[in-house]
C-alpha cells in the first residue's frame, strides 16, 4: 500500500477512544507481530495473552488514563503510540507501531516527537520506554532521538529500558505541532 497523502498526528485521551477509530487494527498488528517475534504461534487476536486481547477489543478501557497518539493519512489510521499516565514521575511510551505500507516516511519519529511534546506540556521531566533487544531498528531510532539506556524497571529478559528528558513546555525541537488534541471523530482541534 503506497499512499502519498500527508500524514498528521492527533492525540486523544484514552477515555475518548472508540472501537471504530482504527486503533484496534493497529494494536492487533503490533501485538501479533510481537508475539511472532517472541516465537509464539499466535495467528489471530483470540490467541493473544489476555491483557493484549483487552487492549485490542476495548482500547478505551485499556488506555483510560493514558494519551493515545494516532497518525492519520486522510482518515486512515497508519500509526499509533500510547503515552501512559506517569509512574514514579515518568510517563512511558508504549505500542509504537506504523503500518508496514507507510514505513520509511518518518511517522514513528513524528509520533515520538508528539509524545515528547505531550510529556513536556504536561510538566513531566521526561519519558521512558522499553524495547525488545531484537528490535535493533527501533533501538537505533530511539537513540537517534536522544533516548539513552537506563537501569531496567522491567523484569522481563531481553528488554532494553531507555529514557529521555524533556524541557518543560517543549520537547527540545522534536515535538510535532500537528499533535493537537482531537475531538471524538479524530478531527484536530485547538
Amino acid at each position: 500500500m503506497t499512499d502519498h497523502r500527508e500524514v498528521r498526528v492527533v492525540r486523544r485521551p484514552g477515555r475518548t477512544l472508540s472501537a471504530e477509530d482504527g486503533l484496534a487494527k493497529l494494536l492487533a498488528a503490533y501485538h501479533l507481530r510481537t508475539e511472532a517475534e517472541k516465537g509464539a504461534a499466535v495467528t489471530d487476536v483470540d490467541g493473544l495473552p489476555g491483557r493484549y486481547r483487552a487492549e485490542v477489543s476495548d482500547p478505551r478501557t485499556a488506555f483510560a488514563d493514558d494519551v493515545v497518539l494516532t497518525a492519520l493519512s486522510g482518515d486512515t489510521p497508519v500509526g499509533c503510540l500510547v503515552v501512559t499516565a506517569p509512574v514514579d514521575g515518568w510517563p512511558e511510551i508504549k505500542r509504537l507501531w506504523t503500518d508496514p505500507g507507510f514505513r520509511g516516511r518518518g511517522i514513528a519519529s513524528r509520533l515520538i516527537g508528539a509524545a515528547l511534546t505531550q510529556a513536556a506540556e504536561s510538566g513531566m521531566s521526561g519519558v521512558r520506554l522499553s524495547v525488545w533487544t531484537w528490535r535493533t531498528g527501533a533501538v537505533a531510532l530511539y537513540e537517534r532521538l536522544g533516548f539513552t539506556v537506563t537501569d531496567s524497571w522491567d523484569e522481563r529478559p531481553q528488554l532494553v529500558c531507555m529514557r529521555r528528558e524533556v524541557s518543560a513546555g517543549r520537547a527540545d525541537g522534536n515535538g510535532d505541532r500537528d499533535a493537537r488534541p482531537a475531538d471524538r471523530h479524530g478531527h484536530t482541534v485547538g
Side-chain angles (χ1 to χ4, degrees):
M1 166 195 312
T2 302
D3 191 330
H4 296 288
R5 287 182 280 186
E6 183 176 333
V7 174
R8 72 187 195 288
V9 175
V10 296
R11 85 176 114 166
R12 297 178 218 163
R15 64 187 167 280
T16 67
L17 300 171
S18 76
E20 293 80 38
D21 64 10
L23 179 62
K25 182 178 177 183
L26 294 169
L27 290 168
Y30 170 88
H31 286 303
L32 289 169
R33 175 64 185 199
T34 301
E35 292 304 304
E37 289 172 351
K38 291 178 187 175
V42 177
T43 58
D44 60 25
V45 171
D46 292 335
L48 290 172
R51 69 182 184 156
Y52 301 145
R53 220 175 28 253
E55 289 179 12
V56 173
S57 66
D58 187 6
R60 178 186 308 205
T61 300
F63 303 119
D65 297 326
D66 306 325
V67 172
V68 176
L69 303 171
T70 307
L72 299 171
S73 176
D75 291 332
T76 303
V78 297
C80 64
L81 181 150
V82 175
V83 182
T84 68
V87 174
D88 298 328
W90 290 80
E92 189 167 348
I93 291 175
K94 293 187 162 290
R95 311 303 182 250
L96 175 60
W97 179 257
T98 301
D99 180 305
F102 285 83
R103 292 190 179 158
R105 295 177 57 190
I107 294 170
S109 295
R110 289 188 66 198
L111 286 164
I112 293 167
L116 295 171
T117 298
Q118 166 67 29
E121 290 175 357
S122 299
M124 299 291 109
S125 60
V127 296
R128 67 184 193 172
L129 58 84
S130 60
V131 58
W132 297 106
T133 57
W134 60 79
R135 289 188 169 158
T136 56
V139 171
L141 172 66
Y142 296 137
E143 288 175 336
R144 201 167 46 252
L145 295 175
F147 286 82
T148 58
V149 175
T150 188
D151 293 335
S152 180
W153 60 83
D154 192 311
E155 297 297 318
R156 292 177 291 172
Q158 298 192 51
L159 274 179
V160 176
C161 292
M162 304 178 87
R163 68 183 214 174
R164 181 179 188 271
E165 293 185 12
V166 296
S167 299
R170 58 189 263 271
D172 298 294
N174 285 322
D176 186 335
R177 65 180 166 266
D178 293 332
R180 295 178 299 233
D183 66 17
R184 64 186 186 89
H185 303 290
H187 300 106
T188 305
V189 297

